[in-house]
Amino acid sequence: MDEKKIMLSGIKPSGDLTLGSYLGAIKHWKERADEFDCYYFMADLHAITVRQNPADLRRRTMEQLAQYIACGLDPEKNTLFIQSHVHQHAELGWVLNCYAMFGELSRMTQFKDKSAKNADNINGGLFTYPALMAADILLYQPDYVPVGEDQKQHVELTRDIATRFNHLYGDTFKIPEPYISKVGARIMSLADPTAKMSKSENDDPGRVTLMDDPAFILKQFKRAVTDCDACVRYDPENKKGISNLMTIYAATTGKSFAEIEREFDGQGYGTFKTAVGESVVELLRPIREEAGRLMKDKAYLESVCKQGAEKAGYVANKTLRKVYKRVGFVAK
Ligand code: TRP
């Protein structure tokens, strides 16, 4: 019997993974591989709630898988899969749509933000997105769902839906906890340190992706928005840009904020920005090179996602069968 606790998370392949995706999420996932039974997926069903170019979506989904592996997620230890390969997600998503209330869905801040940004395409999927996300989660009966602050509301709704369902039909779903890591949880945009570093290019000129080349990364850090008092000091209230750079530097070097303040005492921002940029170049170099190599090995990537989908499908199917029975569907 496997006694390990279960963890699950997903990222939409709607943009290229960034330094923020790595420091805020994937790096922590990697550290959990031995302690937990982990499921990570490419949330392609969710990606199409916003218009995607099909060729780009296909490329990014495979690239995201290559990058997960290059970041250190070992496919032998973690179950890595593509959401659309496990049809139970869409099926349970439909069922849970019938247990998610219009009022609840209307209150989701991500829905409000996205409908404001995509006023010409406020589709049904964008609205019912949290019911599909609840299905993604509940299929695997996880204990924890590591997510960013922005997804906490969706995990809370998942808990409400699961509780409602359990109440109506008896214990069916485990009630999961959101798992929000403290360190490096939120890497902000280099162009606007009040906003999270975004995956989509159109949204964020101040992002660094995992596949960016060193010259571009250094340029991005050189032009990072800061303030004008020329003092490297951690003060997330008044010095958001510098504090963000310090968070990044602390994550790449393992140094404390106090050590960083001492290291750059009296040196001005230019030297500091260059040092942060160089540390990021070195952090991302092996990831970029390994992901590039894996992208050329299509057969390997296909075997990983096939194996992942089989394992995920087996677990997902057990939950789905139980749900179908509980709601009164005739067994086939
Ligand atoms: N909604 C998440 C995001 O936008 C992605 C996601 C989809 C997810 N399904 C999930 C995250 C299940 C955690 C668990 O980033």
Side-chain angles (χ1 to χ4, degrees):
M1 260 284 279
D2 194 354
E3 295 291 332
K4 281 185 183 172
K5 293 221 188 264
I6 299 169
M7 206 167 229
L8 165 137
S9 197
I11 298 183
K12 288 191 298 282
S14 52
D16 298 316
L17 294 179
T18 68
L19 176 66
S21 323
Y22 178 71
L23 293 179
I26 305 169
K27 180 175 170 220
H28 305 285
W29 297 356
K30 174 177 81 177
E31 293 158 1
R32 308 272 148 62
D34 293 317
E35 197 186 336
F36 294 93
D37 189 6
C38 299
Y39 295 83
Y40 300 114
F41 61 97
M42 281 48 82
D44 55 350
L45 297 177
H46 280 96
I48 62 163
T49 52
V50 173
R51 288 281 175 268
Q52 302 291 332
N53 171 302
D56 287 345
L57 179 60
R58 201 169 293 124
R59 172 191 57 80
R60 274 201 230 100
T61 305
M62 278 321 244
E63 202 166 77
Q64 193 169 314
L65 174 65
Q67 290 172 351
Y68 278 1
I69 302 169
C71 286
L73 290 181
D74 178 349
E76 296 303 320
K77 288 192 186 164
N78 302 274
T79 306
L80 308 179
F81 64 98
I82 297 173
Q83 186 187 24
S84 63
H85 287 185
V86 182
H87 56 80
Q88 288 83 357
H89 288 246
E91 293 173 72
L92 183 62
W94 169 255
V95 174
L96 296 185
N97 257 318
C98 304
Y99 298 84
M101 298 300 141
F102 184 86
E104 287 173 324
L105 296 170
S106 312
R107 283 193 291 276
M108 295 294 113
T109 53
Q110 183 169 303
F111 171 69
K112 291 190 223 166
D113 289 352
K114 292 225 162 150
S115 28
K117 269 194 205 152
N118 302 283
D120 55 344
N121 183 24
I122 308 178
N123 59 72
L126 199 60
F127 186 64
T128 60
Y129 182 115
L132 178 61
M133 179 158 162
D136 299 337
I137 297 171
L138 298 173
L139 279 173
Y140 301 93
Q141 311 279 358
D143 297 273
Y144 300 110
V145 184
V147 283
E149 203 54 62
D150 60 325
Q151 293 298 314
K152 205 172 146 199
Q153 196 185 26
H154 290 158
V155 180
E156 271 152 15
L157 179 59
T158 300
R159 290 165 58 89
D160 293 342
I161 294 172
T163 307
R164 180 173 302 141
F165 195 96
N166 286 352
H167 185 71
L168 286 166
Y169 303 103
D171 257 358
T172 308
F173 299 122
K174 184 181 275 175
I175 310 296
E177 299 276 341
Y179 192 99
I180 301 193
S181 63
K182 291 138 237 104
V183 273
R186 244 169 111 75
I187 300 299
M188 311 307 274
S189 165
L190 301 177
D192 174 8
T194 62
K196 186 172 149 176
M197 188 180 280
S198 167
K199 281 193 304 242
S200 39
E201 195 167 10
N202 310 342
D203 283 0
D204 189 3
R207 67 181 194 146
V208 166
T209 76
L210 298 185
M211 301 314 262
D212 283 338
D213 62 67
F216 180 78
I217 296 175
L218 288 174
K219 194 172 90 200
Q220 287 295 76
F221 278 93
K222 278 202 185 113
R223 59 177 196 209
V225 167
T226 51
D227 51 59
C228 48
D229 84 355
C231 171
V232 177
R233 181 166 51 79
Y234 189 72
D235 179 352
E237 272 306 302
N238 303 308
K239 293 167 72 69
K240 290 196 165 46
I242 285 295
S243 301
N244 186 40
L245 293 177
M246 286 179 74
T247 302
I248 295 170
Y249 196 59
T252 56
T253 61
K255 292 177 185 168
S256 70
F257 292 143
E259 282 171 311
I260 300 169
E261 285 171 5
R262 239 173 290 129
E263 183 178 347
F264 295 98
D265 186 27
Q267 295 206 44
Y269 290 162
T271 321
F272 176 55
K273 285 177 169 181
T274 304
V276 184
E278 282 168 356
S279 76
V280 170
V281 165
E282 290 320 313
L283 175 80
L284 298 185
R285 186 189 304 282
I287 297 176
R288 185 185 68 244
E289 288 174 358
E290 178 64 2
R293 199 186 61 73
L294 289 169
M295 278 303 281
K296 293 194 197 103
D297 194 348
K298 286 274 176 304
Y300 171 71
L301 291 179
E302 279 163 15
S303 77
V304 168
C305 58
K306 183 158 180 273
Q307 180 188 314
E310 271 167 24
K311 174 143 188 257
Y314 177 78
V315 178
N317 203 46
K318 280 209 282 193
T319 305
L320 186 70
R321 293 297 131 207
K322 201 150 108 184
V323 168
Y324 274 12
K325 196 169 162 195
R326 296 257 151 124
V327 299
F329 293 167
V330 173
K332 35 169 201 187

